[in-house]
Amino acid sequence: MIKKLMLLGAISTSLFSFAQKFSFVPSVGYAWRVAETPSGLSKQEKDYIKGLKSGLHFDLSAYYHVNNIGIGLKFSNYSASSNGMLAVGNPYGNTMYVTVSTKDNITFIGPSIMYSNYNEPTKHKLILDAALGVISYTTKTGNVKGTGSNLGLDAGFGYQYALSDHLFIGPKLSVTAGTLNKMKINGTTVDMSDAKEGLTRVSLSGVATFHF
């Protein structure tokens, strides 16, 4: 009986140690797209585009840790919308104002690597991560829908304070980068080599780590 109890204790300790190597890291914040606004636009058009250049950012990643290095997967999402009145010309040479509404969504998913001091005996935690994967863009204005995807990069740096052995919270600064050369507009492929769609954004988020 004593041997069985010792064996059970050894197995439990081993499993607990193994479980300590996993982290789940969600974050929520705000992001700003950094692509330049095209020149020659009216004030209404500039204001309309400005509404799409900042929005909600969230991401979720999971890691398996080997010492201070974590290997895992990251997913992130950016969403923004804008409404406005834009001037358009009709076939008779007159100017009309129409109400338009656009919703943008940018997602990223890919394998990620992270450096952290999660396993060190300090309440002050630092994280540095980078991921390479697929960045995808969806934009919809009325009945017009555009989609596209390309290779993307996501990288971030954060500071966290340990509330317990298993929960750390703090701020994080991230960059998600990517550019589209082609898009599908209502199913038709459009070459954008002369006016590429820049998807790069900078985000500031509150991040929590659940470390087990």
Side-chain angles (χ1 to χ4, degrees), residues 72-87:
L73 184 69
K74 168 174 280 191
F75 170 83
S76 72
N77 183 83
Y78 167 88
S79 58
S81 62
S82 185
N83 304 301
M85 295 284 291
L86 298 183

Side-chain angles (χ1 to χ4, degrees), residues 86-101:
L86 298 183
V88 296
N90 63 20
Y92 305 102
N94 299 319
T95 299
M96 300 176 57
Y97 288 89
V98 296
T99 302
V100 290
S101 178

Side-chain angles (χ1 to χ4, degrees), residues 23 25 61 63-72 74 112-122 124-131 154-160 168 172 209 211:
S23 290
V25 190
S61 53
Y63 295 96
Y64 174 76
H65 296 270
V66 179
N67 296 323
N68 289 338
I69 302 299
I71 301 171
K74 168 174 280 191
S112 179
I113 186 169
M114 177 176 70
Y115 168 83
S116 72
N117 61 343
Y118 286 163
N119 295 322
E120 296 179 9
T122 174
H124 303 283
K125 307 297 185 180
L126 298 177
I127 55 174
L128 180 65
D129 62 26
D154 187 288
F157 172 78
Y159 164 81
Q160 294 179 296
F168 320 138
K172 183 180 179 183
T209 295
H211 187 56

Side-chain angles (χ1 to χ4, degrees), residues 14-187:
S14 177
L15 289 175
F16 182 75
S17 176
F18 178 77
Q20 283 282 86
K21 295 181 178 181
F22 286 95
S23 290
F24 298 95
V25 190
S27 69
V28 178
Y30 211 69
W32 299 264
R33 293 178 64 179
V34 300
E36 292 185 5
T37 301
S39 60
L41 300 181
S42 66
K43 183 180 183 305
Q44 291 89 345
E45 291 169 329
K46 289 181 179 179
D47 291 342
Y48 187 72
I49 292 176
K50 184 178 179 180
L52 297 172
K53 296 192 70 172
S54 61
L56 181 66
H57 165 93
F58 78 86
D59 65 52
L60 176 64
S61 53
Y63 295 96
Y64 174 76
H65 296 270
V66 179
N67 296 323
N68 289 338
I69 302 299
I71 301 171
L73 184 69
K74 168 174 280 191
F75 170 83
S76 72
N77 183 83
Y78 167 88
S79 58
S81 62
S82 185
N83 304 301
M85 295 284 291
L86 298 183
V88 296
N90 63 20
Y92 305 102
N94 299 319
T95 299
M96 300 176 57
Y97 288 89
V98 296
T99 302
V100 290
S101 178
T102 298
K103 293 183 179 180
D104 278 3
N105 190 268
I106 303 172
T107 61
F108 171 89
I109 187 168
S112 179
I113 186 169
M114 177 176 70
Y115 168 83
S116 72
N117 61 343
Y118 286 163
N119 295 322
E120 296 179 9
T122 174
K123 287 187 174 294
H124 303 283
K125 307 297 185 180
L126 298 177
I127 55 174
L128 180 65
D129 62 26
L132 187 67
V134 177
I135 190 167
S136 300
Y137 177 55
T138 300
T139 181
K140 188 173 183 181
T141 304
N143 295 323
V144 179
K145 182 178 181 180
T147 60
S149 61
N150 205 349
L151 187 67
L153 172 70
D154 187 288
F157 172 78
Y159 164 81
Q160 294 179 296
Y161 183 79
L163 297 180
S164 71
D165 291 339
H166 307 292
L167 177 60
F168 320 138
I169 62 171
K172 183 180 179 183
L173 181 67
S174 301
V175 175
T176 306
T179 303
L180 294 184
N181 300 316
K182 295 181 179 180
M183 285 185 64
K184 284 189 176 181
I185 308 297
N186 285 354

